[in-house]
Amino acid sequence: MTIRVRFAPSPTGYLHVGGARTALFNWLYARHHGGVFVLRIEDTDRDRSSPEHTEVILSALRWLGLDWDEGPFFQSDGADRHRAAALRLLEAGRAYRDFTTAEELAQAREAAKGEGTDLRLPRRRAEALPAGEAEERAEAGEAHAIRFLVPEGETVWEDMVHEEMRFQNAAIDDLVILRSDGSPTYNLAVTSDDAEQHITHVIRGDDHLSNTPKQILLSEALGYPVPTFGHVPMILGSDGKRLSKRHGATAVGEYESQGLLPGAMVNFLALLGWSPGGDLEVMIGEELIERFSMERVLKKSSIFDLKKLDWLCGQHFNASTAQALEPALTEGLEGAGLATRQELEERRDWYLSLIDLLKTRARTIPDLVDLARPFLVDELEFDPEAVTRYWLKEPAPVLEQLTALRARFETPKWEPEALEEVIRGYAEELSVGAGKVIHPLRVAVTGRAVSPGIFEVLALLGRDTVLVRLDEAIVRLDGR
Ligand code: GLU
């Protein structure tokens, strides 16, 4: 049997991280088992659905790399099939026409509330209606809904996450499957579409648990095979409350705009409710696919921990090759007006070494752009705090040091080892720690208090730039 799963978002908003996690688990399950990942857009809520939302969702899935094998199918295209299924149930006596008006239903609800009883009005109505009357009233054009006649008994399934699940059918209302305007409802449409698309496994959020017995009963009544269900636990905010914007961005698109690496986001989402076991957390691409299994999906809810995301982002930058980071960084540098694509291509080897040097300190692409700034500008920007701290506290010795280093930088081979020797040798002569010399030097060549290792930084800046920057620093300190 080929495993066929689906992601079925409603295009009523952006792609929420919870939805993305559902999509990812389905995708991983399909890829792990060599199955098929179907994308279905559930656009039956006409008022809230829009093509713009669909586009936002598709674009977020593409960014995450969750490619689909079939679709996108649009649920609204199946309306005739859904209606035919409802009529089939009606003919088979598994559904009935309900002429209760919205007003009557509201009144009955109020009354039931007053009595503290459970509302089972539609079922009673159906029983009370004399034979043939429903057909006559329908033929006369009286507005009515079609309700599924929920059978007696209980509905049991073996959930991929929660194991055995049991629902008493008596607790399930006879659900409307076709509204009085002829439109199918969610549970009917999903059941019919899952059968039509030969879905074998339905992996989705816990919030759908109460729909599952209804969909199982509908499948059985319609003679469809019942898919295997797996309900993935909720994602909570760091305070244990339902995840909301208070906890940070909830739209996948926002993380894309922040310049996160999609691989880090995918890794983070995968760990929301799943663990490969042991201490393993950082997983890249194929490794996630290989290790993923529904058996290791946790029953308890997971915490959306932005600190963990930040850490994973750093790990993924570390693990990425310069070549992999190059396209996004080039775009960022062009956008920031720091370099053109052509300039970077002309000295590509240098550029790739620069990325290798900087990537261990970045969490996002904009971080990387900022780290690259001192290497690409003509005019250095100075961080005032760095200047105060490392230059202005003892300006005279700093001036002396920078002048001495400038002279010593004229001759050595321009590579990290040789530069390290010069700098450490000079610090020894002064009988000070190397840091004492390195901090003011770093401010002079980068304008900042922190940077990657200074020897590599000097090497990549090149002798000419370093000498010019030292001259400028000497002038500034002298004329102070
Ligand atoms: N369209 C539903 C939603 O966005 C999902 C339906 C399902 O997975 O069965 O919540």
Side-chain angles (χ1 to χ4, degrees):
M1 175 188 78
T2 304
I3 285 180
R4 294 178 57 90
V5 292
R6 79 315 193 266
F7 177 50
S10 305
T12 54
Y14 54 77
L15 181 62
H16 187 272
V17 287
R21 195 261 317 248
T22 298
L24 174 62
F25 281 18
N26 278 286
W27 182 85
L28 286 171
Y29 194 68
R31 292 292 170 265
H32 182 90
H33 293 284
V36 176
F37 179 52
V38 176
L39 180 60
R40 180 169 80 222
I41 304 296
E42 301 205 322
D43 58 343
T44 43
D45 184 340
R46 289 272 173 215
D47 298 332
R48 293 174 60 226
S49 300
S50 77
E52 289 75 27
H53 287 140
T54 299
E55 200 30 63
V56 168
I57 293 170
L58 297 192
S59 142
L61 290 172
R62 282 190 204 106
W63 177 66
L64 291 168
L66 306 184
D67 55 330
W68 50 93
D69 306 304
E70 290 179 20
F73 298 114
F74 290 84
Q75 189 153 64
S76 56
D77 290 342
D80 287 343
R81 172 168 38 79
H82 305 150
R83 267 189 289 277
L87 295 178
R88 203 144 65 71
L89 289 174
L90 194 61
E91 269 160 34
R94 305 297 306 267
Y96 58 89
R97 300 184 197 272
D98 178 12
F99 296 89
T100 316
T101 62
E103 254 167 42
E104 286 169 335
L105 198 57
Q107 278 171 6
R109 279 216 177 93
E110 277 307 307
K113 226 195 279 170
E115 291 165 22
T117 54
D118 206 5
L119 180 70
R120 288 285 178 275
L121 175 89
R123 215 183 300 230
R124 287 209 301 270
R125 276 268 158 130
E127 284 160 9
L129 223 52
E133 190 186 322
E135 293 316 305
E136 277 165 31
R137 285 169 71 177
E139 256 160 53
E142 194 179 332
H144 62 280
I146 296 183
R147 283 185 188 268
F148 178 54
L149 183 61
V150 172
E152 306 290 322
E154 66 177 351
T155 303
V156 184
W157 78 92
E158 191 64 25
D159 196 274
M160 293 166 94
V161 179
H162 297 276
E163 291 156 29
E164 191 180 89
M165 295 292 297
R166 280 174 186 274
F167 272 78
Q168 295 306 314
N169 295 354
I172 304 170
D173 246 334
D174 284 352
L175 51 142
V176 170
I177 50 177
L178 214 57
R179 297 186 191 90
S180 56
D181 65 1
S183 64
T185 59
Y186 160 74
N187 280 302
L188 176 68
V190 167
T191 305
S192 168
D193 286 1
D194 282 343
E196 174 76 8
Q197 290 152 14
H198 306 287
I199 300 303
T200 58
H201 294 73
V202 171
I203 300 169
R204 59 185 175 189
D206 256 0
D207 49 332
H208 282 289
L209 265 175
S210 63
N211 287 320
T212 302
K214 297 174 189 168
Q215 293 172 16
I216 291 175
L217 290 170
L218 279 169
S219 289
E220 286 169 350
L222 284 161
Y224 299 152
V226 178
T228 302
F229 290 88
H231 292 87
V232 184
M234 296 259 292
I235 303 173
L236 302 177
S238 43
D239 53 2
K241 302 226 171 79
R242 200 192 158 88
L243 185 64
S244 76
K245 288 190 182 135
R246 277 181 306 117
H247 301 105
T250 51
V252 171
E254 281 184 62
Y255 292 96
E256 180 180 4
S257 327
Q258 285 174 22
L260 260 68
L261 297 182
M265 192 69 197
V266 164
N267 192 165
F268 175 65
L269 291 171
L271 295 175
L272 289 172
W274 171 76
S275 147
D279 295 334
L280 184 67
E281 290 197 298
V282 182
M283 284 162 284
I284 317 271
E286 283 297 315
E287 193 178 1
L288 267 179
I289 294 175
E290 250 164 57
R291 291 185 183 272
F292 186 78
S293 79
M294 283 298 290
E295 284 90 63
R296 296 203 68 99
V297 171
L298 311 168
K299 287 196 186 67
K300 64 173 177 33
S301 42
S302 51
I303 301 284
F304 190 77
D305 178 0
L306 283 175
K307 278 199 223 86
K308 174 124 169 209
L309 174 58
D310 189 56
W311 175 76
L312 281 170
C313 286
Q315 297 293 314
H316 277 256
F317 265 98
N318 237 331
S320 298
T321 63
Q323 280 85 347
L325 297 170
E326 186 184 8
L329 179 61
T330 303
E331 202 182 308
L333 292 174
E334 278 205 312
L338 286 168
T340 65
R341 192 170 298 268
Q342 200 188 338
E343 282 162 0
L344 297 168
E345 261 161 32
E346 275 164 16
R347 40 178 192 160
R348 181 143 188 262
D349 287 346
W350 173 85
Y351 181 39
L352 292 177
S353 314
L354 179 68
I355 301 177
D356 270 326
L357 178 65
L358 303 180
K359 69 179 192 185
T360 55
R361 296 179 164 252
R363 295 282 192 271
T364 65
I365 293 293
D367 281 356
L368 206 53
V369 169
D370 182 59
L371 287 163
R373 189 175 284 274
F375 294 87
L376 296 165
V377 290
D378 291 328
E379 194 80 23
L380 213 49
E381 288 161 41
F382 285 87
D383 166 13
E385 267 175 47
V387 170
T388 309
R389 182 152 174 216
Y390 294 119
W391 279 8
L392 301 184
K393 273 197 190 142
E394 300 172 283
V398 167
L399 176 58
E400 196 184 308
Q401 282 174 22
L402 295 182
T403 311
L405 283 175
R406 197 219 174 279
R408 287 162 195 239
F409 281 165
E410 297 265 11
T411 46
K413 225 170 153 205
W414 203 258
E415 47 190 42
E417 299 72 28
L419 290 163
E420 177 164 9
E421 227 170 89
V422 171
I423 292 165
R424 291 201 189 280
Y426 177 57
E428 259 170 50
E429 275 174 42
L430 295 181
S431 304
V432 297
K436 196 85 182 146
V437 176
I438 288 172
H439 288 306
L441 174 62
R442 175 178 284 124
V443 177
V445 297
T446 68
R448 303 176 177 191
V450 284
S451 76
I454 188 71
F455 315 119
E456 281 80 12
V457 167
L458 292 168
L460 276 176
L461 279 169
R463 191 191 315 260
D464 293 349
T465 303
V466 168
L467 295 186
V468 167
R469 287 190 181 169
L470 282 172
D471 284 340
E472 283 167 0
I474 289 163
V475 170
R476 282 176 80 125
L477 278 158
D478 213 12
R480 168 191 49 89

